[in-house]
Structure formats: structure tokens, C-alpha cells
């Protein structure tokens, strides 16, 4: 087969198109994963402090309010039950947030890795394309020499 | 009685026919007629009534009738001299023809001898040499042209190959792998417990919450480290693959150039082999052409030699410088001759070649004894003895031309 640069240009465009499609899909999935990962974190944060009228977190955990209504917490009141409950809540909250953040980070790293692999595949594909082109040129040159 | 074929002649000819006629005007002499007819001769005695020839008949008639001797003798001599004259003419013509033939044969011999050993004609030899030179030049030019084209193709192929692989190596050098090497490294998020300050305000120790936050931070750092380590490993592999590609390109270039060199060497060898084969074929053809020309020249030489031999065999070419045959000078036969002189003169008319056409004419010459008798009769006639203008004067005026 005689050397035809158009074939390799078409293959190059195909590689870029394929990369663009897969990278776009990966980016979109990453976005969805991030949204999904952020949601439990936000829920846990909101569960502790609630929301202000402006949309921000509240200053007082909602847990305190329930203990106050039962007389276990308030001005001058520091019951052991409340302390224990607050410690347990804080420990579980931090642990849950840690898990959620790590899950989100891991998920996002997976998408990042996928994106990097897609880029590496593109680079490798382009290099393979250049190699194939060089080999085709060499074969054409050899065929030229073999002409009688 | 015996049957004898008469060949009584000193000239070695058969005896004339036995046709007889008393009337001279009816006589239509044919020397060959009746030559082979057997004649029955009565051998019982001299008085045989059958004449042996026309002249014998004339002599007998003259002897029988003296009055007519002169006329008969005159007629006989006229006949003799006429025959001799005709013979002489034939002999002269034959001599002239022989001279022409000898001259022609001499010229032919001269020409044949000039052609003898001529070898291959220069035109043919020159044409063969020209074909050999032109053929060899053509082969050399073709070989040189093909070698030139082959060299051009080899140069083009080498250039294309080097260009292709150079482009590949330049591309690999210009675009190092960056996907994993430049990938965003993970940075662990260090968090503090959001309730620590509040818990302290509430009189609750934040240690428990901080402990959980610390554990989460450790976990996050581990995850990020693992990820980054993975990226580093993949980047190293990516770099190794790039190096492998570059070495493969270099090796591919070297291999391809060696392959091209091998093909070029093979093609050059094949071209040289073809050139040598073509030259050998051409030289073989030229040698065959020369051999054929030499064979034809030898055959022509042989044909010339055969022609010379055939020419010499005709006897027209005098061997050893022998001069051409010249007819003898024959004196005229006249009645004043003695019989011996007349016979001697007549005998000189004998041809040197017994197969010559003039031999037919010699058959009309009378036998010697008949001539003697006729001369004797003529000398007895009155005209001969001075008595008139008949036989003697006629005999003197009609001498045989020689």
C-alpha cells in the first residue's frame, strides 16, 4: 500500500475524537460523583448545626437543643449524659465525615486516574500512529527499491 | 561369305555409307548415313561388283569409260576439295571457338584464382564486427542505465526510510509522555474537628472528636499517597515505554537500512549477472556468426577450387604453359600432287580431338586408295595433260583452301 498521509490524519482525528468523547464522559461522571459525594458530607454537617436563614450552617448543633428541652443542658446545667452524648456524637460525626470525604476523594481520584489513562492512551495512540506511519514509509521505500 | 562392318580409314573414321547413284545431281551426300550398315562383300575374287564407296564407284566408272574419266575425276576432285574446304571452314570455326573458349577459360581461371582464398568477405566481417560492437555498447549502456536507476531508487528509498524514522524519533523526542508524569497529584485534606471549640465551650473534652478527625486525616493521607505512588509507577512505566519506542525506532531504522542495502546488493548482483549473461549470449551469437561466415567462406573456396578443377578438366586451360591448339597449315590438294603428298595433306586435316564436331565432316574424306586412284585418273585426262580447260584448269583453280 502506498503511503497516504490522509489516512494517518484521519486516524489522528479519530484518536482525538475518541479521547475527547471519553474524557468528556469521564469529566461528567466525575462531576456526578463529586455531587453525590458531597451530599452526605453536607447532610452530616447540616445534621449537627442546621442552616441559617442565609443558607449557612447554624451556630448551635441541633443536638444541644433536644438536651436542653429535657433539662440536661442549659445555662448552668452540664449533665454527664449530655457530655457523653456530645462526645459520642462528635466522634461519630468526625468519623463519618472522614469516611465520606475519603470516599469522595477516592472516587474523584478514580475519575482522575481514568482521565489520565485516557490522556496516556491518546499519547500512546499518537506515538503508535507515528510509528505505523514510519513503518509504512519504510515499507514503501523498500517496495520502491524492489521495483524492476 | 562374311558380314564385315567396314572401317577402312587411316583417319580412324568409319567408312562412308554405301549409297550409290550414277546421277550426281541426285547425290545428297550424308557422311554419317549408312555408316553402321553391314556391307556384304563377295570375297570370291577381285571382280566384285559392289563398290566400297562413292569414290570407288566414281573410279570404277572412270576406269570403265575413259571418255568420261575427266569429268568424273573433276567431279571427284571438286567433291574432295569442297569437303576439305567445308572441313577447313569448320576447323577454322572450331579453332576460333576453341580460342574463344580458351580465352574465356583463362579469364575464368584468372577470376577464380583471384577469388580463391579470399576468406570472409570484408563487408560481412565488418558487419559482424559492427554488430558485436553495437551489441556490446547497447548492453553496457543498458546495464549502466539500469544501475543508475537502481542507485537512484536506492538513494530515494534510503532517504525515505531515514525521513520516516527521523520523523518518528523527532516526534517521540518532541512529545514525551506527560499523562502520568504531569497528572495532578492527590493532596490529602487535613481537617480539624468542627465541634472542638463548641465542645470546649460546653465543658466537654474535644479529644474524642479530634481523635476521629486525626484518624480520618491519616486515612486520607494514606489514600492520597497510594494514589500518588500509583501515578509515579505509571509515569515510570510511561517513560520506559517512551524509551522503548525510541530504541525501537532506532533499531527499526538500522534494520530497514540494512534491508535496503541487502536488496540493493542483490539487485546489483542480479544486474551484473544479467549484463554478463547478455554479453556472453552476444559473444556466442557473434562467434556463431563468424563461424558460419568462415564455413560459408570455406564452402565458397571449395566451390571455387572445384570450379577450377572442372575448368582444368575441360582441357581449355593449357597445363604447364602449353600454348593453345593451333590448327595445322594444310597445303591444298591439287591434281599435280603425287598421291602420297595429297594423302599427307589430307591426313593433316585430322582433328586433334576425335570427339570434335568436325570429325563428322572428316567422314566425307575419301579413303587413301580412292584418292590415289582419283589422282591417277585425273593425271591421265586430256585437260590435265594440257588438252583443254576442263579438269586440269579446274583442279588448279580450286585448290583446297588452307
Amino acid at each position: 500500500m502506498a503511503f497516504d498521509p490522509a489516512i494517518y490524519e484521519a486516524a489522528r482525528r479519530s484518536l482525538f475524537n475518541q479521547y475527547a468523547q471519553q474524557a468528556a464522559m469521564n469529566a461528567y461522571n466525575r462531576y456526578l460523583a463529586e455531587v453525590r459525594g458531597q451530599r452526605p458530607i453536607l447532610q452530616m454537617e447540616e445534621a449537627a448545626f442546621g442552616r441559617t436563614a442565609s443558607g449557612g450552617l447554624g451556630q448551635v448543633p441541633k443536638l444541644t437543643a433536644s438536651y436542653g428541652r429535657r433539662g440536661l443542658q442549659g445555662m448552668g446545667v452540664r449533665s454527664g449524659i449530655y457530655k457523653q452524648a456530645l462526645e459520642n456524637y462528635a466522634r461519630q460525626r468526625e468519623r463519618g465525615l472522614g469516611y465520606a470525604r475519603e470516599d469522595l476523594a477516592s472516587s474523584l481520584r478514580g475519575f482522575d486516574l481514568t482521565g489520565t489513562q485516557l490522556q496516556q492512551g491518546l499519547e500512546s495512540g499518537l506515538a503508535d500512529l507515528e510509528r505505523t506511519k514510519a513503518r509504512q514509509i519504510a515499507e514503501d521505500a523498500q517496495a520502491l527499491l524492489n521495483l524492476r | 561369305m562374311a558380314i564385315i562392318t567396314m572401317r577402312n580409314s587411316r583417319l580412324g573414321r568409319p567408312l562412308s555409307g554405301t549409297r550409290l547413284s550414277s546421277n550426281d545431281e541426285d547425290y545428297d551426300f550424308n557422311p554419317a548415313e549408312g555408316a553402321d550398315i553391314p556391307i556384304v562383300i563377295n570375297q570370291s575374287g577381285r571382280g566384285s561388283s559392289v563398290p566400297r564407296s562413292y569414290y570407288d564407284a566414281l573410279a570404277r566408272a572412270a576406269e570403265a569409260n575413259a571418255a568420261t574419266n575427266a569429268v568424273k575425276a573433276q567431279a571427284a576432285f571438286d567433291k574432295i576439295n569442297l569437303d576439305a574446304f567445308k572441313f577447313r571452314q569448320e576447323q577454322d570455326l572450331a579453332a576460333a571457338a576453341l580460342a574463344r573458349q580458351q580465352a574465356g577459360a583463362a579469364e575464368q581461371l584468372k577470376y577464380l584464382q583471384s577469388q580463391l582464398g579470399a576468406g570472409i568477405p570484408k563487408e560481412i566481417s565488418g558487419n559482424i564486427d559492427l554488430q558485436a560492437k553495437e551489441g556490446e555498447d547497447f548492453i553496457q549502456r543498458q546495464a549502466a542505465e539500469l544501475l543508475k536507476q537502481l542507485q537512484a531508487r536506492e538513494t530515494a528509498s534510503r532517504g525515505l526510510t531515514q525521513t520516516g524514522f527521523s520523523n518518528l524519533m523527532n516526534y517521540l523526542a518532541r512529545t514525551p509522555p506527560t499523562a502520568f508524569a504531569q497528572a495532578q497529584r492527590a493532596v490529602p485534606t487535613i481537617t480539624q474537628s468542627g465541634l472542638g471549640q463548641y465542645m470546649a465551650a460546653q465543658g466537654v473534652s474535644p479529644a474524642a472528636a479530634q481523635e476521629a478527625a486525626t484518624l480520618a486525616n491519616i486515612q486520607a493521607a494514606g489514600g492520597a499517597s497510594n494514589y500518588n505512588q500509583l501515578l509515579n509507577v505509571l509515569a515510570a512505566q510511561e517513560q520506559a515505554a517512551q524509551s522503548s519506542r525510541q530504541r525501537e525506532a532506532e533499531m527499526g531504522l538500522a534494520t530497514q537500512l540494512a534491508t535496503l542495502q541487502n536488496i540493493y546488493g542483490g539487485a546489483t548482483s542480479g544486474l551484473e549477472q544479467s549484463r554478463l549473461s547478455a554479453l556472453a549470449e552476444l559473444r556466442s551469437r557473434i562467434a556463431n556468426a563468424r563461424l558460419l561466415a568462415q564455413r560459408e567462406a570455406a564452402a565458397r573456396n571449395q566451390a571455387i577450387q572445384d570450379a577450377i578443377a572442372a575448368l582444368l578438366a575441360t582441357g581449355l586451360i593449357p597445363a604447364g604453359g602449353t600454348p593453345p591448339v593451333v590448327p595445322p597449315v594444310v597445303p591444298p590438294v591439287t591434281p599435280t600432287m603425287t598421291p602420297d603428298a595429297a594423302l599427307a595433306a589430307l591426313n593433316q586435316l585430322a582433328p586433334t580431338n576425335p570427339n570434335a564436331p568436325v570429325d563428322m565432316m572428316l567422314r566425307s574424306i575419301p579413303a587413301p586408295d580412292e584418292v590415289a586412284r582419283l589422282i591417277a585418273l585425273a593425271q591421265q585426262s586430256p585437260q590435265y595433260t594440257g588438252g583443254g580447260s576442263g579438269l586440269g584448269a579446274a583442279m588448279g583453280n580450286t585448290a583446297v583452301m588452307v
Side-chain angles (χ1 to χ4, degrees):
Chain A
M1 182 184 70
F3 176 72
D4 184 5
I7 295 176
Y8 300 98
E9 289 303 317
R12 184 194 304 274
R13 289 193 298 272
S14 176
L15 284 175
F16 275 108
N17 289 335
Q18 185 178 1
Y19 168 75
Q21 291 173 359
Q22 292 176 347
M25 184 59 69
N26 184 66
Y28 181 66
N29 288 333
R30 186 182 186 279
Y31 165 74
L32 293 180
E34 186 175 10
V35 170
R36 283 195 298 266
Q38 287 288 352
R39 184 175 300 126
I41 295 173
L42 183 61
Q43 286 176 348
M44 280 187 283
E45 288 175 346
E46 288 178 347
F49 294 94
R51 286 287 178 178
T52 63
S54 61
L57 290 175
Q59 295 296 317
V60 178
K62 290 187 285 187
L63 173 67
T64 303
S66 63
Y67 280 90
R69 284 193 298 268
R70 287 181 289 172
L72 297 177
Q73 186 268 343
M75 293 296 292
V77 178
R78 297 291 186 270
S79 65
I81 295 173
Y82 174 72
K83 291 180 180 178
Q84 186 63 40
L86 185 58
E87 285 181 0
N88 290 339
Y89 172 75
R91 183 182 299 111
Q92 291 176 356
R93 178 178 181 273
E94 294 302 325
R95 185 181 299 136
L97 282 175
Y99 287 159
R101 290 193 183 101
E102 182 60 23
D103 288 345
L104 176 59
S106 297
S107 176
L108 294 182
R109 281 196 291 268
F111 286 105
D112 290 341
L113 180 62
T114 299
T116 304
Q117 288 175 330
L118 288 176
Q119 183 180 354
Q120 190 274 339
L122 173 64
E123 293 176 353
S124 178
L126 291 175
D128 287 342
L129 193 62
E130 290 296 326
R131 177 199 170 279
T132 303
K133 187 165 64 175
R135 173 57 60 185
Q136 183 62 49
I137 291 174
E139 290 180 358
D140 291 345
Q142 182 173 338
L144 176 65
L145 183 58
N146 276 325
L147 285 177
R148 290 289 185 271
Chain B
M1 187 174 70
I3 299 175
I4 299 172
T5 299
M6 298 299 291
R7 293 190 179 276
N8 184 15
S9 172
R10 291 177 58 191
L11 303 175
R13 64 190 182 279
L15 192 62
S16 301
T18 56
R19 179 181 176 184
L20 298 176
S21 175
S22 58
N23 187 356
D24 292 339
E25 296 177 356
D26 295 335
Y27 177 68
D28 184 12
F29 184 76
N30 183 359
E33 182 178 3
D36 296 331
I37 297 175
I39 301 174
V40 178
I41 299 176
N42 187 358
Q43 296 180 343
S44 60
R46 177 176 175 82
S48 175
S49 61
V50 179
R52 290 179 294 174
S53 68
Y54 169 72
Y55 303 101
D56 186 34
L58 285 179
R60 291 188 182 188
E63 290 171 350
N65 191 356
T68 60
N69 279 349
V71 177
K72 300 298 184 181
Q74 178 65 50
F77 265 95
D78 289 345
K79 179 62 179 171
I80 289 172
N81 286 319
L82 181 60
D83 291 342
F85 174 72
K86 291 179 179 178
F87 170 73
R88 186 67 261 169
Q89 279 188 321
E90 291 294 332
Q91 197 174 33
D92 290 342
L93 292 175
L98 179 62
R100 288 195 300 273
Q101 290 177 351
Q102 286 176 334
E107 290 298 323
Q108 188 177 5
L109 178 64
K110 183 179 177 182
Y111 169 75
L112 292 174
Q113 286 176 341
S114 67
Q115 295 296 314
L116 191 62
I120 301 174
K122 289 183 179 178
E123 295 177 352
I124 295 177
S125 179
N127 193 7
I128 292 175
D129 292 340
L130 183 62
Q131 286 183 0
K133 184 177 183 306
E134 289 184 349
E136 189 163 344
D137 290 345
F138 175 76
I139 292 172
Q140 298 288 9
R141 283 198 306 273
Q142 287 292 315
E145 181 64 23
L146 290 176
L147 181 61
K148 184 179 177 181
Q149 293 179 2
L150 182 63
Q151 288 173 343
R153 290 207 309 271
E154 193 269 344
T155 301
S157 301
R158 182 180 291 273
L160 285 175
T161 302
Q162 286 179 335
T163 300
F165 279 101
S166 294
N167 288 340
L168 173 60
M169 288 186 283
N170 289 335
Y171 176 82
L172 294 176
R174 192 173 60 248
T175 57
T178 58
F180 291 107
Q182 296 180 1
Q184 182 68 39
R185 293 309 192 255
V187 178
T189 303
I190 303 301
T191 59
Q192 296 293 328
S193 174
L195 296 177
Q197 186 178 1
Y198 177 76
M199 291 173 68
Q202 294 293 323
V204 179
S205 174
Q210 189 60 42
E211 181 182 359
T214 301
L215 288 175
N217 287 335
I218 292 172
Q219 186 179 7
S225 176
N226 289 338
Y227 178 73
N228 291 336
Q229 186 67 26
L230 174 62
L231 288 182
N232 291 335
V233 170
L234 293 178
Q237 289 182 350
E238 190 179 48
Q239 187 59 42
Q242 180 75 354
S243 299
S244 176
R245 287 180 186 276
Q246 290 176 337
R247 287 194 298 274
E248 179 190 4
E250 293 171 357
M251 187 171 62
L253 174 61
T255 302
Q256 192 62 25
L257 289 179
T259 301
L260 293 179
Q261 183 65 30
N262 186 28
I263 294 173
Y264 176 72
T268 305
S269 176
L271 185 60
E272 181 65 13
Q273 182 66 31
S274 299
R275 186 181 71 87
L276 293 178
S277 297
L279 284 176
E281 174 67 19
L282 174 67
R283 285 165 185 164
S284 175
R285 290 172 55 190
I286 293 299
N288 287 335
R290 291 187 194 282
L291 184 62
L292 182 60
Q294 288 175 352
R295 186 184 307 165
E296 291 178 351
R300 185 169 182 269
N301 208 34
Q302 183 62 44
I304 292 173
Q305 289 180 348
D306 292 343
I308 290 175
L311 190 61
L312 293 175
T314 59
L316 296 174
I317 303 299
T322 303
V325 175
V326 177
V329 178
V330 181
V333 178
T334 64
T336 58
M337 287 182 172
T338 63
D340 291 338
L343 286 175
L346 291 175
N347 283 333
Q348 290 183 27
L349 295 175
T352 55
N353 182 8
N355 296 323
V358 295
D359 185 53
M360 298 297 292
M361 185 59 69
L362 289 179
R363 295 177 181 175
S364 64
I365 302 301
D369 54 344
E370 295 167 352
V371 172
R373 289 168 61 190
L374 286 172
I375 289 175
L377 288 172
Q379 290 177 350
Q380 294 173 4
S381 65
Q383 290 80 357
Y384 179 73
T385 56
S389 59
L391 179 61
M395 294 293 287
N397 294 333
T398 58
V400 176
M401 296 179 64
V402 292

